Amino acid sequence: MDKKKSDELIFANKELAFQNEEKEKRAAELSIANKELAFQNEEKEKRANELSIANKELAFQNKEKEKRAAELVIANHELAFQNEEKEERAAELIIANKELAIENQRKEKRAAELSIANTELSFQNKEKEKRAAELGLANIELVFQNEEKGKRAAELIIANKELAFQNIEKEKRAAELKIANKELAFQNKEKERRAGELGIANIELAFQNEEKEKRAAELIIANNELAFQNEEKIDRTAQLEAVNKELESFSYSVSHDLRAPLRAILGYAQMHKDKYESLLDTEAKRLMGNIIGNAKKMGQLIDDLLTFSRLGRKELVKIKILMNEMVENICHEFRNGEGHTKIEFRIQPLIPAQADSVAIKQVWVNLISNAIKYSGFKEKPIIEIGSEIKGDEIIYYIKDNGAGFDMRYINKLFGVFQRLHSEDEFEGTGVGLAIVQRIITKHGGRVWAEGKVNEGAVFYFTLIKS
Amino acid sequence: MNREVQILLVEDNASDAEMTITALQKNNLADKLLHIKDGAAALDFIFAEGKWSERQIENKPKLILLDLKMPKINGIEVLQRIKSDERTKGIPVVVLTSSKEDPDIKKCYELGVNSYVVKPVDFIEFQTVITELGLFWMIVNQTP
């Protein structure tokens, strides 16, 4: 019996030894599994670290890309592409996270199984309780680590959300950039339009330039035409000068040849008078007197005409004329003449001029003698002579309070042989003012007059200020 | 035809000639005056040629009154001949003309005219001028 009991104990011991061996094996496997888990955890930490670095890298790259996006429109495409890449990466991370989560779940399951196994083991082997307790602690540690990893995974999820948010931001930014691009494209179009407008304006300008060139060409032609016309005018002037010379020589020779028969008329009339006056009655004497008087008058006309024609031929010799001296001398001579003592000359300061002194003296003589002639009948004849500067002209005037003239006949005043008074009123040949006009015109000046019947006249002439 | 000629009047205008002669007569200066009516005849007389070939060229007139406008040979040519010939250049020549505007005045002086007188239209003045001329050249002036 004892032997049977001893055998049973031996067997039980063997059984226990076997079970212990099995448990030891199982513990060794668990230890290996734990090491494996620890290794996997380390790997996951590494992976998480890498992800963190990668995220930082991404954040940095995003900033870089924002900068880049702001600067370059083209870079947006790149960014968009990179964003896609990142989305892909994020998607991959999400997948990796999911995988991690699955693995964690698996590990939790496994841990739960191990916990059950441990409880079982503690039941089965109190000896091994300590070990099991240690394993429990290790498991608790693992659980804690798993929780840590779960936390970490949650953090990664948040980081992913953050990344997704950043991606959205970037998409927004990209959209903004698109709008900016559109804006730029619009501005480019505007610029193109403007360039088009400028192109049109350039064409317009080119056209205007052509027009101007055409105009310039026309002007050149017009200038040539003018030059030609000027030549024509010079020719014409030369012809006119020739005709004028001819006319002057004609008038000279007419006057010259008229003098001979006139001299004969006067001569014979005088001889007749000398020889036969004593035989003539009053009427015969009167008739003979008229013949002589008219012949003398004709002589005067011829002399005046000659003087007039001489003016056309004579070259002007311009010198400085002291007008006051010249005019005072002339007036002095006139004052000494018969019946001129009652005339009051009022000579104002006269501006000196550059002119032909012989000709200008003739002008003053003619104007002053005219003034005397037409005012001499007055009780108190006053003749005023003065001058003033107006622009580039010196205006001289001579004013009298004599017979004056009717302004209606002003156009006849300066004509040759034109008279506004009868010979009975005032004698004269009608050449004096024509001579004045001719001299002044030849000097480049002007002549005009103002008058009122019985109140007097003012004669003006101008000389160019030197 | 050998009578002495003191004044030679060369004048184609009969009226002027008559007036000149009349004026000179008044002062008894026309007694020894010869009136010739053109330049050619005047040269014949002065140089004793043609009609006047028998005349002695040395019997020079005391004064020649010369009109400028004449047919055939004009006064300028006559003056030139007289003044360019040694035998005659000493004869006083007074040119009488109708106008002081005559372009020949300068030429006359260049040729050596002794005097140049414009005939006044007024007869009284004319007479005065001619008389003064006659008296001066015939009586006052001394020829070599």
Coordinates of all heavy atoms in Angstrom, one line a residue, chain A residues 35 81 88 114 410 436:
Chain A
K35 N 10.1 40.7 -24.0 CA 11.2 41.4 -24.7 C 10.9 41.9 -26.1 O 11.2 43.0 -26.5 CB 12.4 40.4 -24.8 CG 13.3 40.4 -23.5 CD 14.4 39.4 -23.6 CE 15.1 39.2 -22.3 NZ 16.1 38.0 -22.2
F81 N 1.4 70.6 -55.1 CA 1.9 69.2 -55.2 C 2.4 68.7 -53.9 O 2.1 67.6 -53.5 CB 3.0 69.3 -56.3 CG 3.7 68.0 -56.5 CD1 3.1 66.9 -57.1 CD2 5.0 67.8 -56.0 CE1 3.8 65.7 -57.3 CE2 5.7 66.6 -56.1 CZ 5.1 65.6 -56.8
E88 N -0.9 62.8 -48.6 CA -0.7 61.4 -48.8 C 0.0 60.9 -47.6 O -0.3 59.8 -47.0 CB 0.2 61.2 -50.0 CG -0.6 60.9 -51.3 CD 0.3 60.8 -52.5 OE1 1.5 60.3 -52.4 OE2 -0.1 61.3 -53.6
L114 N -2.6 37.2 -21.0 CA -1.5 36.9 -20.1 C -1.9 37.0 -18.6 O -1.5 36.2 -17.7 CB -0.3 37.8 -20.4 CG 0.5 37.4 -21.6 CD1 1.5 38.6 -21.9 CD2 1.2 36.1 -21.4
I410 N -9.4 164.2 -98.2 CA -8.0 163.9 -97.7 C -7.2 163.1 -98.7 O -6.0 163.2 -98.8 CB -8.2 163.1 -96.3 CG1 -6.8 162.9 -95.7 CG2 -8.9 161.8 -96.5 CD1 -6.5 163.8 -94.6
V436 N 6.6 166.0 -100.3 CA 6.7 165.5 -98.9 C 6.5 164.0 -98.8 O 7.3 163.3 -98.2 CB 5.7 166.3 -98.0 CG1 5.6 165.7 -96.6 CG2 6.2 167.8 -97.9

